[in-house]
Amino acid sequence: MLVLSRCIGESLVIGDDLMVTVLAIEPLRTRLQASRVGVPKEILSDSWLQVDEKLELEPGVSCMIVRIHNMIRLGVIAPRSMAVTRWEIYAANRQAR
């Protein structure tokens, strides 16, 4: 499991096109939205999760809330062959191409 810190409004990209965005953080739960990169209206999931709850995104790919504070620690479970990238890095790499 790869663990990344994210704040409200920040995203990460799993593989080539799966994006997970933090929409809200409350003391005991966090709201995550999963969508496809470049397809803003295709929302795959919009869920409130507590610590240790898992959100299945695709077969073999899931996210889990590891810790909630003023930001969250988000665990990503995916095959090693899938890149997991913070959105700001992903966007910068796409722009450089």
Side-chain angles (χ1 to χ4, degrees):
M1 176 183 348
L2 174 66
V3 179
L4 296 162
S5 295
R6 299 278 77 191
C7 294
I8 294 172
E10 292 183 332
S11 303
L12 58 92
V13 178
I14 303 168
D16 294 326
D17 67 343
L18 187 60
M19 182 165 65
V20 178
T21 303
V22 179
L23 297 180
I25 299 173
E26 293 182 356
L28 298 176
R29 62 188 191 152
T30 298
R31 183 176 172 201
L32 297 179
Q33 184 178 79
S35 61
R36 297 281 176 201
V37 173
V39 188
K41 293 184 180 180
E42 185 182 347
I43 296 173
L44 304 174
S45 175
D46 190 333
S47 305
W48 285 94
L49 300 176
Q50 295 179 346
V51 172
D52 293 334
E53 280 190 298
K54 200 182 280 188
L55 175 62
E56 191 77 25
L57 302 169
E58 292 181 345
V61 180
S62 59
C63 288
M64 183 172 106
I65 305 300
V66 176
R67 182 171 172 229
I68 300 173
H69 196 38
N70 59 346
M71 63 174 49
I72 65 165
R73 303 276 290 160
L74 185 62
V76 178
I77 301 160
R80 288 185 178 266
S81 60
M82 291 184 91
V84 178
T85 312
R86 295 183 322 223
W87 171 254
E88 56 272 23
I89 302 298
Y90 180 87
N93 287 343
R94 280 183 52 177
Q95 202 171 37
R97 287 186 216 159

